[in-house]
Amino acid sequence: MPTSTVRTLLVRGMIAGVVAGLLAFALAYVVGEPSIDSSIALEESQSAPAHEHGDAAPAPAEEEEELVTRPVQSTFGLATGVLVYGVALGGIASLAFALCLGRVGRLRPRATAALVAGAAFTTVYLVPFLKYPATPPAVGNPDTIGKRTTLFFLMIVLSVLVAVVAVIAGRRLAPKLGNWNATVAAGGGYVVVMAVACLLLPANSDAVKETFPAALLWEFRLASLAVQALLWTAFGLIFGALAERVLRPADDRFTGQDPEARTEASAARTG
């Protein structure tokens, strides 16, 4: 594939990432932020009685002032984080698309984009989420944030590497087993290896308190999962449409016909 085409796909991928990020931000603000606000309010209500007793309680004037207020975090901060995330992953996914196009069967650009987006969602978020599910910011111990972040990113790296090995193994098995059987074998191998990894990797030691409402916890986790699913679904659909326009031959762009339809029309005229 020419370098200019790869560059164009990269730009289209980043554009698709921005649009998908905007949609994900809207969903996160509507369904995710209420559960975070409820978690913070619950933490404050539980810590308030401790400050009402004893002389060691700090005076209100001595309390540290927030550098970033909660309304700013839930609007501008959330939008910035989601958009940067969408642009970065959109660029990476577009490069992965350029690498996979024509190498994973006779799939059109739209189907390849959907496949890349689905694989990215599964390996980058869904599988790590099953081992280390998201928790509201007010639930965990702040001292363990570094450890939890390290474990989650370790799971992401491992999931991506195992997925790459599975794809390579599937391609090598295809001539012997056929495309379908090779795909099933490679996918089964990925599932087995990641299941073993989930058993061997340390669990999150920062357990959720028993007093924390289970409904609120699962509301936050399902919202996090829904935001990621929307982000990658929107990216796959938008980028697939943009990539199709970039990769379609020039004569098909102007006629608006796909190659098969144009061939049939030409045969009918000469017949």
Side-chain angles (χ1 to χ4, degrees), residues 19 28 40 53 71 99 107 122-123 125 140 149 151 156 160 172 220:
V19 179
I40 295 175
H53 304 284
L99 181 64
L107 299 178
T122 301
T123 57
Y125 187 79
T149 303
L151 289 174
I156 292 176
V160 172
R172 293 187 176 181
F220 174 82

Side-chain angles (χ1 to χ4, degrees), residues 92-150:
I92 296 173
S94 65
L95 296 178
F97 167 87
L99 181 64
C100 294
L101 187 64
R103 294 182 173 89
V104 289
R106 298 180 180 179
L107 299 178
R108 295 185 65 84
R110 287 177 185 266
T112 303
L115 180 63
V116 169
F121 168 71
T122 301
T123 57
V124 175
Y125 187 79
L126 181 59
V127 172
F129 175 87
L130 295 177
K131 174 63 178 178
Y132 302 113
T135 55
V139 172
N141 183 356
D143 297 334
T144 64
I145 291 179
K147 178 183 177 181
R148 284 181 285 160
T149 303
T150 300

